[in-house]
Amino acid sequence: MLPLVLAATTALVAPAAAIERSAPEPAYLTDTIPAPKDVAYPGTMVLNVDATDIDRAILRVKQAIPVAEAGPMTLLFPKWLPGKHGPRGEIEKLAGLKIMAGGKVLPWRRDNLDVYAFHIDVPQGTSQLDVSFEFLGATDKPQGRITITPAMMNIQWEQVSLYPAGYFTRRIPISATVTYPDGWKAASGLPSTATGSTYRYETTDYETLVDSPVFAGKYFRQERLSPRVRLNIVADEAKFLEAKPEQIEAHRKLVDQAVKLFGAQHYDNYEFLLALTDKMGGIGLEHHRSSENGVNPEYFTEWNKGPGRRNLLPHEFTHSWNGKFRRPAGNWTPDFNTPMNDDLLWVYEGQTQFWGYVLGARSGLFTKQETLDALAAIAANLDIRRGRDWRALQDTTNDPVITARSPKGWVSFQRSEDYYNEGMLVWLEVDSLLRAQSGGRKSMDDFARAFFGQKDGDWGIDTFEFKDVVAALNSIVPYDWDAFLTTRLGEKAKGAPLNGFVNGGYRLAYVDEPTPFIKDQERTSKAIDLSYSIGLTSKGGEITQVIWDGPAFNAGLAIGSKILAVDGMAYSDDRLKEAIRAAKGGKEPIRLLVQSGDRFRDIAIEWNGGLRYPKLEKAGSGTGTLDLLLTARK
């Protein structure tokens, strides 16, 4: 019977070619969000934020938005955020949205194409919308960056406000008030007056408000660094605010050296916002008249143990010139929901990384040797990235959109936001070429003053394109800068571009003991870096990075595995390092017992080169151009 049934069934099924498949037409959706126009908004928005619920990290928002006419209106939650280089607005944390007019609740509809947009119909006779919602701050790391703790908070205005579509944000006036917990003090680049714990901020435009975040805290200290610059510090505990005079003086020298470098200052007043914390999430974010900086609590109290994150403030301060005043044309947008073009981030961030380390050395926040050791670590890390084999530096400027800084399994092959550090290496090479082509008369200092040093006090925005960078370099020293930069941005090559060191009088070498800079990194991260020997990093035995095509990779290891034993003995950092030392020059592999999930494996790592750590060594005698670059200006 079975063959007969199969035959009958087969006969009932028509050939596939004879059936006409259903084929839908696309459902085209119309973009109903008004495009921004450079016209004045009719009225001033009023924003009130209750920031007192620090135990639950809830910010309660009330906002009055004037309206000029009835009909369709769209309110936007900021999406594309300057400095974050991507669509990173935390729309998921907005809750309880209510929009009212004349005491009546208005229905709202989220846009089908852009979830950051809310459509409403404004009734006849309405002069003002009353908007309320809660911003539910993260209370645990998996929810995102923690911005509110029992001792401090970081308010970013884009999280606690909406704005009307159809206008350049610089044309929308707004007045903001925040009530902080009793006894707290707050600082922002936007001037304010305080009545108790309630701060009323100067009426400004919405673009400037978003560019003027707040650090507030129970434990607060403020230091004047120059007539126009202040350092505002909040800390987890009062004891961390204790800074020695020479430590504050190094920050004063940072401001002094930056002004000597660039010539002009592009702010009326500048506020460093510095959080000493391991409770609030880390941050380094630039603004025109301020910067948000998060470092370890012991930034001052363990100053002599190593430089830690002392390169953060020089980097973010440099952005006032590079990235905020002079800004790539694609990184300026008329509102916060227009996509950005990040193609010039190798200038915006790469050159800022360059100047950050230079100013760190010139100010004394980093010693010269610490700076050289940091540069060696950066160069070596890029030098072993096999991702350079297939992915050009220019393409990494897309990473803020591709990845949004999520962890990667194989960063040495995938690459990441390498426009920071590889961009810095390119600018080191540019400095060496400027000096060589001019017989030592010109350098990147001349470029900095020419490109960033106009219009003292102007904290507007002056955009630039690739051709403007090339033209500025040619005005300093004629050279085929277009071809040089195009090559560096587009090349796919093994090894990092190290000519800046070679031309500057140094070479990248490897030694069997970590530099003090690497020791400090290992101390603060509680991890060991064996990237340049067996090709992995480990935190208490947990493998946190594996270098593509390195010995650990070739032995089958990956992130997430845990090393339980080394050569038959229980794992410790020192035991693993000793095994690497003992295997040097021999033929026997390094044997590990590794757990991956519920699997246990015996792993043999073929490596007999011993421990290796990067260091810059002098090539030749005398003062090289890299030495000159790192010398303080008088």
Side-chain angles (χ1 to χ4, degrees), residues 71-84:
M73 183 175 183
T74 303
L75 298 178
L76 300 173
F77 187 88
K79 178 179 182 180
W80 284 81
L81 302 172
K84 296 185 179 181

Side-chain angles (χ1 to χ4, degrees), residues 493-565:
K494 187 175 182 179
L498 302 179
N499 287 345
F501 298 122
V502 175
N503 299 341
Y506 285 83
R507 60 173 169 260
L508 181 62
Y510 291 89
V511 294
D512 59 8
E513 287 293 327
T515 62
F517 176 82
I518 292 177
K519 287 181 179 178
D520 185 49
Q521 283 192 318
E522 291 187 332
R523 176 184 67 84
T524 55
S525 66
K526 299 179 176 61
I528 57 170
D529 187 354
L530 303 171
S531 299
Y532 313 103
S533 53
I534 62 173
L536 62 78
T537 60
S538 166
K539 189 171 185 177
E542 295 278 354
I543 296 176
T544 55
Q545 190 61 255
V546 174
I547 304 303
W548 188 272
D549 213 19
F553 175 90
N554 293 332
L557 292 178
I559 288 176
S561 297
K562 185 171 185 178
I563 306 171
L564 301 178

Side-chain angles (χ1 to χ4, degrees), residues 1-14:
M1 293 293 294
L2 182 58
L4 292 176
V5 172
L6 286 174
T9 303
T10 301
L12 294 174
V13 177

Side-chain angles (χ1 to χ4, degrees), residues 377-534:
I378 288 169
N381 182 272
L382 288 164
D383 204 40
I384 60 173
R385 287 202 171 184
R386 293 301 303 276
R388 295 193 81 250
D389 296 355
W390 70 273
R391 190 177 181 197
L393 169 61
Q394 180 67 72
D395 189 57
T396 70
T397 63
N398 295 302
D399 237 58
V401 180
I402 294 171
T403 309
R405 296 187 175 171
S406 298
K408 292 185 176 182
W410 301 102
V411 69
S412 62
F413 192 53
Q414 293 166 283
R415 304 199 78 175
S416 184
E417 295 181 46
D418 290 354
Y419 53 82
Y420 277 89
N421 286 332
E422 191 171 327
M424 179 184 70
L425 297 185
V426 171
W427 289 107
L428 277 168
E429 187 173 1
V430 170
D431 180 73
S432 71
L433 289 171
L434 286 168
R435 294 174 189 271
Q437 294 294 317
S438 67
R441 295 186 300 275
K442 300 293 182 179
S443 71
M444 278 294 292
D445 285 56
D446 297 282
F447 176 87
R449 187 170 286 263
F451 200 69
F452 303 113
Q454 321 92 27
K455 301 181 181 178
D456 185 73
D458 178 6
W459 48 278
I461 298 169
D462 186 1
T463 61
F464 65 87
E465 297 177 351
F466 177 80
K467 61 182 176 61
D468 300 311
V469 177
V470 170
L473 287 168
N474 274 315
S475 72
I476 306 300
V477 176
Y479 187 70
D480 195 350
W481 295 109
D482 190 312
F484 167 78
L485 292 173
T486 299
T487 297
R488 286 288 176 263
L489 292 169
E491 65 187 354
K492 298 169 186 175
K494 187 175 182 179
L498 302 179
N499 287 345
F501 298 122
V502 175
N503 299 341
Y506 285 83
R507 60 173 169 260
L508 181 62
Y510 291 89
V511 294
D512 59 8
E513 287 293 327
T515 62
F517 176 82
I518 292 177
K519 287 181 179 178
D520 185 49
Q521 283 192 318
E522 291 187 332
R523 176 184 67 84
T524 55
S525 66
K526 299 179 176 61
I528 57 170
D529 187 354
L530 303 171
S531 299
Y532 313 103
S533 53
I534 62 173

Side-chain angles (χ1 to χ4, degrees), residues 289-309:
R289 298 189 291 171
S290 65
S291 57
E292 299 167 275
N293 306 276
V295 298
N296 58 304
E298 306 84 4
Y299 180 84
F300 290 113
T301 57
E302 295 186 357
W303 186 274
N304 293 330
K305 288 188 176 181
R309 295 205 70 199

